[in-house]
Amino acid sequence: MVKTREVGDVAGVVVLCATHRLARCLRQAHDRSQAALGGCCWSPLPALTVSQWLDDVLEEALLAGTLPVSEAAPTVLSAVQERALWERVIEAEAGDSPDAAFFDSEGLAAAAAAANELIEGWGLRVQGEHGEEVRRFMRWRAEFRRRCEPGGWCEPVRAQAMQIDALAAGAGRLPESVLFAGFDRYTHQEQRLAQALRARGCAVAELELGNAEDGRATAVALPDRLAECRAAVDWAAARHQADPVARIGIVVPDLAGVRTQLADALDEALHPQAFAAEHADMPRLYNFSLGAPLARQPLVETALRLLRLAASRRVEQAEAGELLRGAYWSADVGEADRRAQIEAAARESLAPTVSVERLLRFVRHKAGAPRLIGHLENLRAGAAALPSRQLPSRWAADLAKLVEAAGWPGERPLSSHEFQARGAFGEALDSMAQFDGVLGRIGLGEAVSRLARLCAERVFQPETEGDPPVQVMGPLEAAGMRYDALWVMGMNDDVWPAAANPNPLLPAALQRRAGTPGASAEVEGSFALAINRRLLRSAPELVFSWARSEGDRVRRPSPLIAALPAGEAPAPKPPLAAALCGTAALEALDDHRAPPLAAGERVGGGSNLLKAQAICPAWAFYRYRLGARALGEPAEGLDASARGSLLHAVMEGFWQGRAATQFLAMPTAEVAAALRGAVDAALAAFNAARDEALPARIVALERERLLTLVGRWLELEAQRPVPFEVVACEAGHEVDIEGLRLKLTVDRIDRFAGGACAVIDYKTGARVDAASWAKDRITEPQLPLYAAFVAGAEVDAVAFARLRRGDEAFVGVAAASGLLPGVAGLAESRRRFGEEAFPDWPSLIAHWRYAIAVVAAEVREGVAAVVVSDEAALAFCEVKPLLRLAERRSQQERAE
């Protein structure tokens, strides 16, 4: 195709652009140049996409009567209509076949639409024998065409082919010349259009965009993708500061994958004040060519969640939790705190998946959120009153009423961006009407699903004020654009050129011969090379960057930038805090100490407080003094904590009021009956305390588990060598240690015939660790705590009772061997308790008293540093994110 760098007289020229963005930018550039010349009479540049121009030409011909109505294009399906029709065809063929459940009709419909577009747009002819995938697709295509005929429907690619045929036959008034702009490769249809134009005497050429010579380009290596984002943003910010009117571009092949990181970095560099809520919608100095899916806008996401709740019989608690915590519906301001409390309670009480009615009963049971309850009931009542099936256009109005019945979009006034998102959601609802002819009457569930997909496919981009100097775009959106400086990131060999990805429903060899997109590595390599050449002429200064690693994977640069000279990344900018404070001095504060305990101040947690303090003081401070804790995770049936509570209740119920001599004299059948009674009583009390009783199947399983587990443990108890008596179960005590008052609960105390005691704590986990009892910081302090500060000289043994199926045992230490099965005496435990430090039993008790007192004094004095010797000990820490361990490791590395 002949190339030209000049448009010439716009009166007889049409510029056909590869993208809408390029067409708009060419029109704007032409307007600016004409305004600069000061002419009072000038014509706008007719820059359009191919489809826009063909529509205009043939519509004009139709209105003028030069194109017969019979030759006009049929009703053109939108992209969503086309895919919906493909889905219907695919589902109809699958029918009730056994493999129908494995069909991803949505994914197959997208692949089928793409394959059909390749056939029409690239002139492919599928002939001969092929595999089952190709044969099946060709059957789908024939059925798709058959279903289109009665309604006069036509997919966009075939409609464009008909338009080109009509143009070639003489329809429409043509300009003197047509310039193609921004095309890195031409489809078969675009080539046919150029031939038809030439055949009718129209001059056809390719408009060369960009500079005449390549810009100065360098290649920069960065540690990872995040470092790339920050380097590109810092570079753009520096260029903008040096020249506020310069046009700066950032090109990213995988823009969708890094959009959020780039937006955050751009805000930090150019608009640090935007992190304040009141400035969230402020105008930006940057603009993204790629918006985010409408479905990901929080206001729209909430509306879709409400509709899914209305259409469902069962709901994932995670989905319901997002609704309860989130805004944009019901009393999202006035009842926000109570809604958060209800959601936290639901995590503890409800299964991961619950019926909607069960969820409603739970919310009604929790007082304090009357408007929430009213809106939920309105939502369910509104859904129940709807017809079972109706046309999508009718569903659109009903879906709008449903979200309004739930109090959407909430109490507070909407921001500008939120208002635009609400309008876009209304447009998505209106567009449901396009499914009427394709889908017919559908149910509520499918209507909600179709709307959700419309919102997921609709790109939402809030209106941009003016023409921001920093533009962020993908390689295709950058076609034909000119910049003063350009940064192209993501130039790794696994990204650029893109990997071959031929359509699976068409013969791969046929696609390779035609050179269709994704057909082969050679095709993608040529395409990427053409884009690289175009980018090199887009700006006088260019930087191409690549990441050295991603996680543990080492990455390499793209071969397309291998010949570029190496450049240097810009120096990192100061942190956001410094930017916000300007030249003000920053004050560094040590956070390793909290305020000491005030007189009379109580701290909960009991022995767990001292355990956390011994492992990591910050853990104890955050969890027990500040009350921070992780939200519970819903469990199917019973979680580990509930199972542990049930086990304690069974053991207490069995031993309460029963002497060991009585137990040892009981026949096996009588022991089993007593155990069944204890298990049944524990389960009944547990169920009575719940908002809703456990299902019978869960109760039966848990009953069987407890009978087996405790039954095997009682067999071990029957083998104890020394007579004993159970004198206390779940006994409560209060102690004062260094001014720190703690409430303790001891699982069990046994008294031996001589008067000494054994203190026992039940454990069901695999990890039972008594090794810390000989150390300065005791990380399992509950038994030493009782022995040292409650019982004193009366204790001769402390042990965990490990109730783990197949691994039942006592684990601990005693004054002498033989008191408990498997528990060695102090003299036989010298590997753990050295004789020099622990010559006798009183010395061990004294060590416990001193070590625990030291840790208790730390709590009283406010010691709250992040100090931990073994991070594995934090496996069950509820406030682990607050400890910022990664930051701590980074600080240590810098210090070293």
Side-chain angles (χ1 to χ4, degrees), residues 185-470:
R185 58 185 167 197
Y186 292 91
T187 67
H188 175 73
Q189 256 184 19
E190 289 157 355
Q191 292 170 8
R192 281 186 58 226
L193 173 60
Q195 292 169 1
L197 292 171
R198 290 193 195 97
R200 290 189 57 186
C202 181
V204 176
E206 181 176 344
L207 179 63
E208 287 195 83
L209 302 170
N211 304 316
E213 301 293 335
D214 289 353
R216 300 183 309 276
T218 57
V220 172
L222 280 306
D224 52 35
R225 189 159 67 166
L226 179 59
E228 260 198 292
C229 291
R230 292 191 175 279
V233 166
D234 290 346
W235 171 88
R239 294 299 180 279
H240 173 70
Q241 186 174 10
D243 184 1
V245 298
R247 290 184 58 78
I248 301 160
I250 300 176
V251 174
V252 194
D254 179 27
L255 181 53
V258 298
R259 190 185 192 281
T260 301
Q261 292 173 320
L262 274 173
D264 289 345
L266 284 164
D267 273 345
E268 182 173 338
L270 300 173
H271 304 285
Q273 66 272 34
F275 286 91
E278 63 268 24
H279 300 305
D281 287 351
M282 67 178 293
R284 302 298 207 266
L285 291 171
Y286 63 87
N287 179 60
F288 282 87
S289 67
L290 176 69
L294 179 60
R296 284 173 49 190
Q297 299 303 310
L299 180 136
V300 176
E301 194 173 18
T302 296
L304 294 174
R305 282 200 172 105
L306 288 168
L307 292 174
R308 281 194 291 269
L309 184 66
S312 303
R313 292 184 178 179
R314 298 188 66 78
V315 64
E316 295 284 339
Q317 194 185 141
E319 178 96 344
E322 290 282 355
L323 267 177
L324 289 172
R325 291 196 307 273
Y328 303 113
W329 73 289
S330 189
D332 53 350
V333 177
E335 296 178 352
D337 291 346
R338 185 54 184 153
R339 277 166 51 170
Q341 292 167 356
I342 292 173
E343 195 269 335
R347 289 168 170 261
E348 308 285 347
S349 303
L350 300 182
T353 303
V354 296
S355 70
V356 176
E357 295 306 321
R358 171 71 184 101
L359 177 66
L360 282 174
R361 287 199 305 273
F362 182 84
V363 175
R364 290 190 197 104
H365 181 70
K366 301 294 181 181
R371 294 183 63 192
L372 169 68
I373 295 169
H375 282 125
L376 282 174
E377 290 175 343
N378 291 344
L379 182 68
R380 292 300 289 175
L386 293 173
S388 59
R389 302 179 74 81
Q390 59 181 343
L391 290 175
S393 57
R394 300 293 299 274
W395 279 121
D398 289 335
L399 297 183
K401 291 177 183 176
L402 278 180
V403 292
E404 289 174 6
W408 184 83
E411 289 181 317
R412 72 171 172 78
L414 299 181
S415 69
S416 172
H417 287 186
E418 290 165 346
F419 186 81
Q420 293 178 57
R422 181 181 183 179
F425 181 67
E427 293 171 4
L429 280 169
D430 293 340
S431 67
M432 290 278 289
Q434 65 186 305
F435 290 123
D436 283 2
V438 178
L439 300 177
R441 294 161 61 85
I442 59 176
L444 173 59
E446 184 173 358
V448 173
S449 176
R450 292 287 173 187
L451 176 62
R453 285 163 58 179
L454 281 173
C455 293
E457 294 171 6
R458 183 187 180 105
V459 175
F460 175 72
Q461 183 81 296
E463 292 181 7
T464 302
E465 294 186 17
D467 185 17
V470 179

Side-chain angles (χ1 to χ4, degrees), residues 89 341 347 422 559 608 667 671 801 873 882:
V89 170
Q341 292 167 356
R347 289 168 170 261
R422 181 181 183 179
N608 287 327
V671 171
L882 299 179

